Amino acid sequence: MSGRRAELRSFLRGCDVPVRVLDRDPTGASWLPEHLRPWALEDPGAQAEIRRFVEAERCLSELARPMEEAMFVTDVMARVEREGREDVRPCLRATVLFAAHLAAVVLGVYALGWAFPDAGRYVETAQTSIEDAAAWAAAAWFDVADGLVLAAAGLVAVLGAVALRYARRGRMPHTSGA
Amino acid sequence: MARSRAIATAGPGLRAGVRDVADMALVARAQQDADKEAFAELVRRHHGRIRNMLLRLCGGDAALADDLAQDVFLRAYRALPRFERRAEFGTWLYRIAYNVFLNHTTRTRRFDALGEHVERGRPAPASDEPDGGDVRRDVERAIAELPVHYRAVVVLYYLRDVSYPEMAEILGLPLGTIKTHLFRARARLREIMMAWDEKDGTADEVTP
């Protein structure tokens, strides 16, 4: 590639000429740098490159043409009607989810105790632990059965964290319009 | 549902009550009275630009762009009571649209570089007289090849109704960064297209 061609390309890469000017003068007679102009106006390769640049700029400016479709508005309004305002705020939803998960785990522990009486020793310990959180915290590290409860508590914590994360994602940012 | 359809497809007569009302007055009506007719008019006014922006950000995937655009308006409707009217409604919508797009990108890991449906590095064959359709396809592919943050700046810039400060607000970046990004993004866009031309060899063919 010749030095002038490289220079033309470098100029076109950073060129900021309004489309209306390019429309009026697609050859570059008025907007090319003076030292390149005589060569660029004569050279067919340079002109081809300039034409393609101008065409690309025109296309880019036409990308702004809005897409109109009546059905889109209908679809949006149908969704607004269907899903409308959020009944619960994200924070409240996260709290409800967390409480529901917690309740599910507690019920699960009791249900397991009922279904597997042989494991009564462990379940009994777990039940005691749930009823007496302080005692459980002290004993959990020393008892295998309490280890099960610890795992359950961990599960609840993880589910709670997931619920909070989803709630944060679902929250509408930038609502202040500032 | 039937009522919303009636509102959305309302003819000129029915729309007369909202057609000449300014955006902010419509927003106030939608906020205070939950006026769906006012909100439908806002959707009607802005959906073209929002869908266009998302279409370019999604690398030309029209179905996905429309899905995301619906999410944008639904989110806007839900957040409307908290919109403080300090910014233009259109700017606020662009901002929501960009966040919706980013969330989608994070969730799916798509569009980091290029949409799956876009043929990478396969420009339309160039010729002496560039055909509008070919160049348009090349431009769209080149935009899709840009990194997300450059793509967003270029798309907003060419939407033309967005000023630099508004771009900064929409993308959550300082004004100076926007200008730098824009300069680099446009240069990158042209580099991509020039590289295609060079690969194709047509630019040199016409040189005697």
Side-chain angles (χ1 to χ4, degrees):
Chain A
M1 193 192 302
S2 73
R4 279 185 297 196
R5 173 66 69 84
E7 217 174 318
L8 174 67
R9 286 196 166 186
S10 168
F11 169 74
L12 292 178
R13 257 197 298 277
C15 176
D16 191 11
V17 181
V19 175
R20 61 177 185 283
V21 175
L22 298 178
D23 277 340
R24 208 169 46 230
D25 173 21
T27 60
S30 63
W31 49 266
L32 282 172
E34 271 180 36
H35 67 285
L36 283 176
R37 205 174 295 163
W39 164 78
L41 293 175
E42 292 292 316
D43 186 82
Q47 277 300 307
E49 210 148 309
I50 291 167
R51 267 199 302 275
R52 194 155 165 80
F53 165 78
V54 170
E55 193 59 40
E57 282 299 300
R58 279 186 187 141
C59 285
L60 278 164
S61 71
E62 281 170 16
L63 295 181
R65 196 176 295 157
M67 302 159 69
E68 296 299 337
E69 190 195 329
M71 281 308 291
F72 180 83
V73 184
T74 310
D75 292 345
V76 168
M77 292 315 292
R79 271 192 76 181
V80 164
E81 192 75 28
R82 206 168 49 236
E83 299 170 40
R85 297 251 192 255
E86 282 175 312
D87 294 331
V88 287
R89 294 178 76 85
C91 179
L92 179 61
R93 186 170 52 214
T95 310
V96 169
L97 276 174
F98 181 78
H101 285 133
L102 185 64
V105 169
V106 171
L107 277 174
V109 169
Y110 276 95
L112 281 173
W114 175 78
F116 302 103
D118 292 345
R121 188 169 66 86
Y122 301 105
V123 174
E124 198 175 310
T125 313
Q127 285 171 340
T128 307
S129 301
I130 289 169
E131 287 161 6
D132 187 355
W136 163 77
W141 298 104
F142 305 102
D143 196 317
V144 176
D146 284 338
L148 290 174
V149 180
L150 190 65
L155 182 68
V156 170
V158 168
L159 289 173
V162 169
L164 281 171
R165 183 176 164 77
Y166 272 99
R168 201 172 298 152
R169 238 186 222 177
R171 191 182 305 150
M172 182 62 248
H174 314 305
T175 48
S176 69
Chain B
M1 183 79 80
R3 176 165 159 66
S4 73
R5 187 166 292 129
I7 290 168
T9 55
L14 282 170
R15 284 179 57 202
V18 289
R19 204 172 39 193
D20 300 325
V21 181
D23 273 9
M24 282 305 176
L26 289 173
V27 168
R29 276 171 61 172
Q31 279 179 324
Q32 286 151 20
D33 314 324
D35 184 344
K36 290 206 172 76
E37 197 181 340
F39 187 73
E41 179 62 19
L42 288 167
V43 177
R44 200 173 289 116
R45 284 181 194 179
H46 293 279
H47 79 93
R49 290 188 196 90
I50 295 295
R51 287 167 67 209
N52 198 2
M53 173 196 177
L54 288 167
L55 179 69
R56 308 302 162 202
L57 288 176
C58 295
D61 187 338
L64 176 64
D66 273 6
D67 284 351
L68 295 184
Q70 281 198 20
D71 286 347
V72 169
F73 285 104
L74 191 64
R75 272 181 170 225
Y77 183 76
R78 286 174 171 171
L80 210 51
R82 302 193 293 279
F83 176 48
E84 293 170 9
R85 289 184 257 168
R86 288 209 295 263
E88 290 291 323
F89 180 71
T91 309
W92 185 65
L93 274 183
Y94 278 134
R95 195 162 169 169
I96 295 175
Y98 185 60
N99 283 330
V100 165
F101 171 73
L102 282 186
N103 284 347
H104 174 81
T105 310
T106 311
R107 227 172 23 241
T108 61
R109 303 274 173 218
R110 271 183 82 187
F111 306 120
D112 280 348
L114 191 64
E116 286 164 2
H117 60 288
V118 179
E119 266 185 288
R120 184 188 286 274
R122 293 283 302 278
S127 61
D128 283 5
E129 293 301 325
D131 170 65
D134 288 345
V135 178
R136 175 181 290 274
R137 274 191 296 280
D138 285 357
V139 164
E140 287 183 356
R141 284 192 187 115
I143 290 175
E145 288 237 354
L146 292 173
V148 168
H149 56 291
Y150 280 176
R151 203 183 314 162
V153 174
V154 162
V155 167
L156 285 172
Y157 175 77
Y158 282 105
L159 286 177
R160 283 186 298 195
D161 61 339
V162 185
S163 66
Y164 283 122
E166 283 171 332
M167 282 165 71
E169 191 178 322
I170 292 164
L171 303 177
L173 294 169
L175 193 57
T177 309
I178 290 289
K179 288 179 180 170
T180 311
H181 274 13
L182 182 60
F183 179 80
R184 289 181 185 160
R186 292 176 77 191
R188 181 83 194 101
L189 196 64
R190 288 161 185 168
E191 268 167 24
I192 291 169
M193 294 187 70
M194 282 175 186
W196 285 344
D197 284 353
E198 218 161 71
K199 211 170 170 183
D200 196 58
T202 46
D204 289 329
E205 276 171 22
V206 286
T207 307

